[in-house]
Amino acid sequence: MRKALTEALRLYLVTDQASLRGRTVADVVLAAVQGGVSCVQLREKALATPNFVALALAVKNLLAPFDVPLVINDRIDVALACGAQGLHLGQSDMPVALARQLLPPEVFIGLSVENLSDVARAAGQAVDYLGISPVYATLTKTDTATPWGVAGVRQVRAMTGLPLVAIGGIHQANAAEVLHAGADGLAVVSAICSAPNPQAAAQSFQDIFRAQRSI
């Protein structure tokens, strides 16, 4: 399961309504998946619950033919309602142990880590991957801790064998160095959501992965 999950987390799109340049979530997600996105997280802080559930169901149906998992950010109720394959939690969200009790066993759980203490605590929790947040400063999420930087990614990699997904300011120019530092996957927001051509943007990240594998 670990290997399959690591592959699914490789190019991890996190949606952001403000970054879509007037396009719909569904349109951007479809283009991104056609370009090689392997996992999609819906992060919708402002949507009312019925609207969030409706969007999640629509995106899940869109992803099904591609065998791409849907992850819901924070909202376990929405994850349960739409049958999402994953849930991502922050340090101030529902405790991981409680989420694990409430979710079906096949649903994977990701946890954001903002400092080394978070990483150490995660060792005793039922999490399937860690989100290193933020690697670089980002405008799409302002309530973040001090950026980890590449050196921080290396520190986390040395502390855990869990799959690591790097998020925060990730784009084509810095993706290779983040992977080289030990990240298994890249969580991308504006570099795909705001791209003129989300499909081509996703393909460019896949080119970076292929180049890394050939080193």
Side-chain angles (χ1 to χ4, degrees):
M1 187 263 193
R2 178 71 60 82
K3 182 178 180 181
L5 178 59
T6 300
E7 286 300 313
L9 298 172
R10 181 71 66 178
L11 184 54
Y12 186 130
L13 175 65
V14 180
T15 63
D16 177 53
Q17 293 274 6
S19 300
L20 298 179
R21 298 164 61 114
R23 299 166 297 199
T24 67
V25 170
D27 286 345
V28 170
V29 166
L30 178 59
V33 170
Q34 289 171 332
V37 158
S38 55
C39 185
V40 175
Q41 180 191 128
L42 287 183
R43 186 171 72 191
E44 297 291 345
K45 302 287 189 180
L47 275 186
T49 298
N51 296 335
F52 196 170
V53 172
L55 176 62
L57 286 168
V59 172
K60 184 170 182 262
N61 289 335
L62 182 156
L63 295 175
F66 299 93
D67 197 26
V68 169
L70 173 66
V71 178
I72 300 298
N73 182 265
D74 296 352
R75 297 286 302 274
I76 192 170
D77 57 334
V78 176
L80 288 167
C82 73
Q85 290 90 348
L87 175 72
H88 190 86
L89 298 171
Q91 291 294 320
S92 60
D93 296 328
M94 175 182 291
V96 170
L98 180 55
R100 183 70 281 165
Q101 290 176 22
L102 296 172
L103 289 168
E106 68 273 12
V107 177
F108 59 86
I109 298 176
L111 178 67
S112 292
V113 290
E114 299 179 348
N115 53 58
L116 294 178
S117 295
D118 292 345
V119 179
R121 283 194 299 272
Q125 300 186 63
V127 296
D128 298 292
Y129 74 91
L130 299 180
I132 307 175
S133 175
V135 176
Y136 302 104
T138 174
L139 295 177
T140 59
K141 196 168 186 289
T142 56
D143 58 336
T144 54
T146 302
W148 283 96
V150 173
V153 176
R154 290 195 188 97
Q155 285 182 291
V156 179
R157 178 73 288 163
M159 291 178 65
T160 180
L162 287 171
L164 300 180
V165 177
I167 186 169
I170 305 293
H171 50 72
Q172 289 87 342
N174 59 29
E177 64 183 10
V178 175
L179 293 170
H180 185 68
D184 298 291
L186 302 175
V188 179
V189 187
S190 58
I192 290 179
C193 287
S194 296
N197 185 334
Q199 180 175 350
Q203 288 170 337
S204 69
F205 279 102
Q206 287 295 349
D207 291 340
I208 294 168
F209 287 119
R210 282 189 286 270
Q212 284 291 114
R213 284 171 172 160
S214 67
I215 293 175

